[in-house]
Amino acid sequence: MDYLSISPGIEEYTQSQFLINLRKTIEKYPNTNFTDALSRNQVKSKTWLIDNMITTFGNTHENIFILCGWYGFLAAMINDRNIKYDKIRTIDIDPSCEKISDSINFDQFKNKWKCKAFTANILNLNYNKITVTSGTKKICEVPSLVINTSCEHIEEFETWRSKLPKGLKVILQSNNFDLHAQHSNCSESLSEFINQCSLSTVLFENTLDCDLYERYMVIGIT
C-alpha cells in the first residue's frame, strides 16, 4: 500500500498540518528515508519529551533551540501541540537536514522564520547568544530553552556541556543502546546520565522503555 495514495483522506479526517507537511515533504524529497526518524521509539521519545516539557516548564516559551535536530520532527510535533513560543531553531551538522526540516515545518518557516533550521556544529556555538547563518541571512538570539535528544551521539559531551551558561533551561536525552555504531557517548543508567549532565537543578528525571534499550531524560537548569 502506498502511503501517499491514502494520506489525503487521513489529512481530511485529522486536519493535521503535521501530516499535510509530511506528505508534501515526502513528495518533494522522495529519496530521503524517514523510516528511522519516524520509528515508533523516536515518536514515543519525542511525545514523552513534549508532555514533560509542558508539565515542567509550561506551555509558553521564548526561543527554543533544538540541537541535533535532524529532519525537524520534534519541532513539528511541538507545533502540532499548539505550544506558544517566539522562535524555534533546529540545528544539525548535516546540511541536507536544513531544507527538509524547513519543509516539515513549512507554515512556521514561511512566517518570518518563526521556525527555522540551520546547519552548524553545536560545539562551535556560543550559548549565551547563538549566532547561525542560512544562506546570506544571519540570526543572533538568546536561547531560553535548549533541547538535545542526541547526547549519546556527542563524543565530546563534556566540552559541549561546558559551553552552556549557568541558569539555562535544558531538556536532555540519551540512551544505553551502545550497539549502535554512531552512539559514542551512551550512559549505562539514568543516574550516570544525570551525573554527566551536571545540572544545578534537576526538575525531572526518568527512564523510557524502548524495548531493545532504555532512553533517559533529564530536565532542569544548568
Side-chain angles (χ1 to χ4, degrees):
M1 180 176 62
D2 180 12
Y3 171 76
L4 294 179
S5 67
I6 64 172
S7 58
I10 297 173
E11 294 160 16
E12 180 66 26
Y13 176 70
T14 62
Q15 296 295 302
S16 170
Q17 194 61 50
F18 175 91
L19 293 178
I20 293 171
N21 288 344
L22 174 61
R23 172 180 52 80
K24 291 180 177 180
T25 302
I26 292 173
E27 291 172 336
K28 190 173 183 179
Y29 302 103
N31 294 323
T32 300
N33 188 344
F34 295 106
T35 303
D36 192 13
L38 287 172
S39 70
R40 178 175 176 270
N41 282 331
Q42 287 285 346
V43 173
K44 184 167 71 170
S45 297
K46 290 174 173 59
T47 301
W48 182 48
L49 185 153
I50 295 169
D51 288 343
N52 286 285
M53 177 178 78
I54 294 170
T55 301
T56 307
F57 291 135
N59 199 46
T60 302
H61 300 270
E62 296 175 357
N63 296 328
I64 302 172
F65 277 78
I66 301 172
L67 308 183
C68 308
W70 207 1
Y71 293 139
F73 284 117
L74 177 55
M77 291 172 68
I78 290 173
N79 286 320
D80 205 48
R81 293 285 291 272
N82 295 316
I83 293 171
K84 298 175 183 177
Y85 62 87
D86 292 337
K87 304 288 184 182
I88 288 182
R89 305 315 187 193
T90 175
I91 298 173
D92 201 279
I93 197 170
D94 182 350
S96 70
C97 294
E98 185 173 333
K99 60 186 181 182
I100 295 172
S101 180
D102 288 341
S103 178
I104 289 290
N105 295 283
F106 184 71
D107 300 86
Q108 289 75 25
F109 163 71
K110 70 180 181 181
N111 182 18
K112 300 179 180 179
W113 280 15
K114 186 174 178 67
C115 181
K116 176 72 181 82
F118 294 88
T119 303
N121 186 332
I122 65 171
L123 293 172
N124 296 336
L125 301 178
N126 180 344
Y127 290 91
N128 289 291
K129 191 172 187 179
I130 296 177
T131 300
V132 282
T133 60
S134 180
T136 60
K137 295 183 179 180
K138 178 171 70 174
I139 62 114
C140 298
E141 295 169 347
V142 177
S144 61
L145 172 63
V146 166
I147 300 173
N148 188 337
T149 66
S150 301
C151 295
E152 69 275 8
H153 287 268
I154 306 174
E155 187 171 0
E156 299 178 64
F157 183 85
E158 289 186 11
T159 300
W160 172 74
R161 171 62 186 87
S162 69
K163 293 177 175 291
L164 301 182
K166 188 174 181 180
L168 179 64
K169 294 188 292 186
V170 295
I171 302 177
L172 307 176
Q173 286 188 355
S174 187
N175 62 48
N176 64 351
F177 191 36
D178 55 8
L179 297 178
H180 194 294
Q182 296 179 1
H183 290 182
S184 57
N185 183 50
C186 288
S187 296
E188 294 185 2
S189 64
L190 175 61
S191 60
E192 181 180 300
F193 183 50
I194 292 170
N195 290 334
Q196 186 182 50
C197 292
S198 187
L199 302 183
S200 64
T201 304
V202 175
L203 300 172
F204 174 91
E205 57 181 84
N206 212 335
T207 299
L208 183 69
D209 181 7
C210 294
D211 301 323
L212 295 178
Y213 62 92
E214 294 179 329
R215 179 163 287 276
Y216 310 121
M217 182 160 67
V218 179
I219 301 177
I221 312 295
T222 55

